[in-house]
């Protein structure tokens, strides 16, 4: 081999590799209505982050010109000219949606009909983008893309504003437990980059989105086709100080929630290469396990200790989600696929009868007399839907009675399983709280579910059963029961006490609560104003959702408001009848 | 190089954990799985992950090489040595009828050739052995229609793929239910990119075929594609004369259908360096993808991987 031509050591390769290896994964879902320009936005992101290659770009240039020519029925002799023009076209004029519309049928119809996954590397992140269709009949695809996402981008057409399906998308994103939401107000170029238009849409959607329990909501005025505020701040929106979409993606906290949750290890497969070795292979669904930990095997409840954590690369002292490992147990306890290991003091629920939110995908409607299979973690159990508690009316997001669920319907159901599911409420654990429903005959995946809890469970029972109505309490106390969540700033406790003093001085019945959801709900249920402060994102999320479900008045204060403004907002709670 | 990778959940560690989960899930839910082995870098990574997934037990499934007989000689050498060293159970399947009929990449065009030697051969092998699940190393970043591929990709009794009948796939819950005769193609590397694969090859020191690294090789330039003259079966057109050029391959397949790139990268690091600066996608050298717009989609519908 000619050594003179041998590649010299590349110092920048090592740096690049270090950079690449320290990057964390972010899973993003992008949703929008049919013509909101979603594919264009994703194409633009890929293009500007160098996620596309020259041959892909030139193929798209060719196809762009061909399609444009076909649409306008240009004679073939002019087509060659068209190709030339397109090949030399400015980036702004490229049809970016062609980068991402994968299947032939879609390219012909100009719509996206299935979830496509795209990969993007920024300086700080590796991003997996689920590109999901926004048609109402494709709810299932959105739910699919959202199921694994850490963050969502919802597109809104600046000319049309917030549509019912925009609310629907936000609702589904929240249902699937996505903590962070960005609203991209697209086609700003078509409204002259008008600030008032942007702010009106933004405010309308943000107010709504907060009630859905997102951890953070951000707004961006963008033009996907022209590239404003996607990866570069736009000179055409000098009034926008919220940065770019890419900047937001890079700044999101990496999702480590599963590491901090209770330890859950669904047994996937038993490894028994010889008589002296028996290992339980699986992926840590949440939390951390250490050698020597006392664990229980569920559903049997047999207790033992972790004798070893094995991997191909050698034994480990501890393993955290999402590692795939093999556990050896100290005793000869029976454990097989579908069983779950937890610490003894933090067991999951064992649910025969459970309430769950269900998204229906089946061509055939949900049939209460039919037996289905539920797959949850590594466990598959025969199950039946006993009753439908309500269906979500997606037009206005109200809850209506229902006999069945049809394709793309969402509802709350009561499920009865032949064998117990070892689960946590989805809100607390997206791994162990999720399940799919399989038609036992056709084997199609016909539904996706999110565990709410044991049937008939819930802390609100006592309040609901009370003989004193909330209206009576309100009449007596002169105020509605309410939960007020303070911003997540470090001095929240002292701010809460100051606020409590001011409100008390103005005649309110008020109490301060340090992050206890149950206490806050109980106080609000009794007619008091509960001022809650907590920095824990999990608690904040749970509180928003619980408050919504319980129907008490709800207010979230903003860090940018001063004390006076905050007092005013709390006092206003009773006035508009909310 | 692989220090402390589980403690810090970097994206490679997360991808590795996800792939292992998929491998185990398949073996747990299917009676008779097989792993497609193409000898390429993605196959090597997939095989490495499989060894990790079932360690310390041996692989609970055989490997299947669908052999067109037109692979590079280096690939056969590498395959035989690698299989012998690790004591792997490798099945090799060829479409004997097509071979007897003399189907080849020169006379029959890449479409017909690929259908006979790869798609047909694969379907034949799967049904002969009664495999109900087959692992493949395909990634979603490779090609447009792949971007919509499921991790568990359902195939009907004829081994065919219908994009409109794919099962929704949520969370990490894969539906592995099939009836007799139906099967699943499983893609544990779905979420990996080309850069991830190379980085993992480097980190885990995974051996790959030397053709991925630059060396002097006899090539001809045909309409801008550099084709290697790997043996005497290569049909030269009038005026074509092999010259020695320093080239390597980004993807490997049948040598008359695999385009080389000029390169001086002789190490994995150098390959990564070139790739990051490259402006061409890896499938660009694959002549079979360019037959017509949407050609991969058509092949997949017919049963191609």
């Amino acid at each position: 081999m000619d050594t003179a031509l041998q590649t010299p050591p590349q110092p920048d390769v090592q740096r690049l590799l270090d950079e690449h290896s320290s990057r964390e994964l972010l899973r993003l879902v992008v949703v929008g209505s049919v013509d909101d320009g979603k594919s264009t936005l994703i194409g633009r992101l890929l293009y500007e982050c160098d996620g596309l290659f020259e041959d892909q770009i030139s193929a798209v240039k060719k196809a762009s010109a061909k399609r444009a020519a076909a649409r306008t029925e240009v004679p073939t002799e002019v087509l060659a000219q068209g190709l030339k023009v397109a090949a030399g076209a400015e980036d702004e004029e490229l049809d970016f949606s062609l980068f991402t519309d994968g299947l032939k049928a879609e390219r012909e119809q100009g719509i996206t009909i299935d979830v496509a996954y795209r990969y993007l590397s920024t300086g700080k992140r590796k991003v997996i983008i689920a590109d999901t269709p926004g048609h109402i009949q494709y709810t299932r695809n959105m739910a699919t893309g959202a199921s694994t996402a850490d963050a969502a981008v919802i597109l809104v057409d600046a000319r049309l504003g917030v549509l019912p399906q925009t609310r629907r998308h936000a609702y589904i994103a929240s249902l699937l437990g996505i903590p962070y939401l960005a609203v991209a107000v697209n086609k700003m170029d078509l409204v002259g980059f008008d600030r008032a238009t942007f702010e009106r849409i933004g405010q309308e959607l943000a107010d709504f989105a907060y009630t859905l329990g997102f951890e953070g909501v951000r707004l961006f005025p963008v033009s996907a086709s022209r590239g404003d505020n996607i990866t570069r701040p736009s000179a055409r929106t000098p009034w926008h100080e919220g940065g770019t979409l890419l900047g937001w993606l890079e700044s999101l906290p990496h999702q480590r929630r599963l590491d901090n949750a209770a330890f859950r290890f669904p047994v996937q497969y038993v490894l028994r290469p010889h008589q002296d070795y028996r290992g339980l292979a699986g992926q840590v669904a949440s939390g951390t396990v250490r050698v020597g930990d006392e664990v229980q095997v569920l559903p049997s409840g047999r207790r033992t200790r972790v004798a070893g954590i094995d991997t191909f690369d050698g034994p480990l002292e501890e393993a955290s989600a999402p590692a795939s490992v093999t556990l050896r147990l100290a005793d000869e306890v029976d454990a097989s696929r579908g069983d779950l290991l937890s610490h003894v003091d933090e067991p999951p629920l064992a649910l025969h009868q459970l309430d769950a939110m269900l998204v229906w995908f089946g061509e055939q409607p949900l049939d209460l007399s039919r037996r289905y299979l539920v797959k949850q973690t590594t466990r598959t159990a025969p199950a039946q839907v006993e009753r439908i508690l309500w269906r979500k009316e997606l037009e206005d997001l109200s809850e209506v009675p229902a006999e069945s669920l049809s394709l793309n319907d969402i509802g709350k159901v009561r499920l009865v399983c032949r064998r117990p599911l070892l689960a946590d409420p989805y809100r607390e654990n997206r791994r162990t709280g999720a399940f799919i429903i399989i038609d036992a005959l056709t084997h199609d995946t016909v539904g996706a579910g999110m565990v709410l809890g044991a049937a008939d469970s819930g802390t609100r029972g006592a309040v609901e059963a009370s003989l004193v109505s909330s209206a009576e309490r309100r009449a007596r106390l002169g105020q509605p029961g309410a939960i007020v969540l303070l911003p997540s700033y470090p001095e929240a406790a002292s701010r809460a006490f100051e606020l409590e003093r001011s409100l008390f001085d103005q005649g309110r019945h008020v109490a301060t609560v340090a992050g206890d959801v149950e206490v806050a709900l109980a106080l609000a249920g009794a007619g008091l104003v509960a001022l809650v402060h907590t920095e824990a994102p999990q608690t904040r999320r749970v509180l928003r959702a619980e408050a919504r479900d319980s129907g008490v008045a709800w207010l979230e204060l903003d860090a940018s408001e001063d004390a006076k403004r905050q007092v005013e907002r709390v006092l206003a709670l009773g006035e508009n009848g909310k | 190089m692989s220090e402390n990778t589980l403690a810090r959940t970097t994206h490679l560690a997360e991808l590795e954990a996800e792939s292992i989960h998929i491998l185990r899930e398949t073996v747990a839910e299917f009676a008779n799985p097989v792993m497609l082995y193409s000898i390429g870098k993605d196959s090597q990574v997939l095989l490495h992950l499989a060894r990790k997934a079932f360690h310390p037990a041996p692989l609970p499934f055989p490997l299947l090489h669908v052999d067109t007989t037109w692979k590079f000689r280096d690939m056969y050498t590498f395959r035989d040595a690698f299989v012998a060293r690790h004591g792997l159970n490798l099945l090799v399947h060829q479409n004997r009828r097509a071979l007897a009929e003399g189907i080849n990449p020169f006379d029959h065009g890449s479409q017909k050739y690929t259908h006979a030697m790869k798609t047909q051969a694969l379907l034949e092998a799967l049904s002969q052995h009664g495999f109900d699940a087959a692992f493949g190393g395909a990634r979603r970043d490779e090609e447009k229609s792949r971007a919509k591929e499921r991790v568990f990709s359902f195939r009907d009794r004829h081994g065919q793929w219908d994009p409109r009948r794919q099962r929704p796939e949520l969370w990490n819950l894969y539906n592995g239910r099939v009836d007799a005769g139906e099967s699943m193609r499983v893609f544990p590397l779905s979420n990996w990119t080309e850069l991830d694969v190379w980085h993992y090859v480097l980190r885990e020191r995974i051996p790959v075929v030397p053709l991925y690294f630059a060396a002097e090789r006899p090539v001809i330039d045909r309409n801008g594609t550099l084709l290697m003259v790997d043996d005497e079966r290569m049909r030269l057109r009038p005026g074509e004369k092999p010259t020695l050029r320093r080239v390597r391959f980004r993807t490997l397949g049948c040598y008359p259908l695999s385009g080389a790139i000029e390169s001086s990268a002789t190490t994995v690091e150098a390959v990564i360096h070139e790739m990051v600066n490259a402006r061409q996608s890896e499938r660009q050298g694959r002549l079979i993808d360019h037959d017509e717009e949407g050609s991969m989609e058509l092949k997949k519908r017919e049963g191609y991987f």
Side-chain angles (χ1 to χ4, degrees), chain A residues 72-95:
Chain A
T72 49
E73 289 176 40
V74 180
T76 35
E77 60 266 26
V78 188
L79 192 66
Q81 183 63 26
L83 283 170
K84 232 192 242 165
V85 171
E90 287 298 307
D91 294 350
E92 283 205 350
E93 295 159 36
L94 269 183
D95 185 348

Side-chain angles (χ1 to χ4, degrees), chain A residues 104, chain B residues 103-120 257 287-299 302 304:
Chain A
K104 252 187 133 165
Chain B
I103 304 276
N104 66 71
F106 306 113
D107 296 320
H108 301 91
S110 66
Q111 270 193 58
K112 191 171 174 195
Y113 164 78
T114 302
H115 182 74
M117 303 301 270
K118 296 172 95 170
T119 308
Q120 278 304 114
L257 298 172
L287 302 183
I288 64 167
D289 290 357
H290 300 291
D291 298 342
E292 60 168 294
E293 207 197 352
S295 65
M296 172 68 86
E297 186 185 340
L298 291 176
K299 286 193 192 62
E302 289 167 358
Y304 183 69

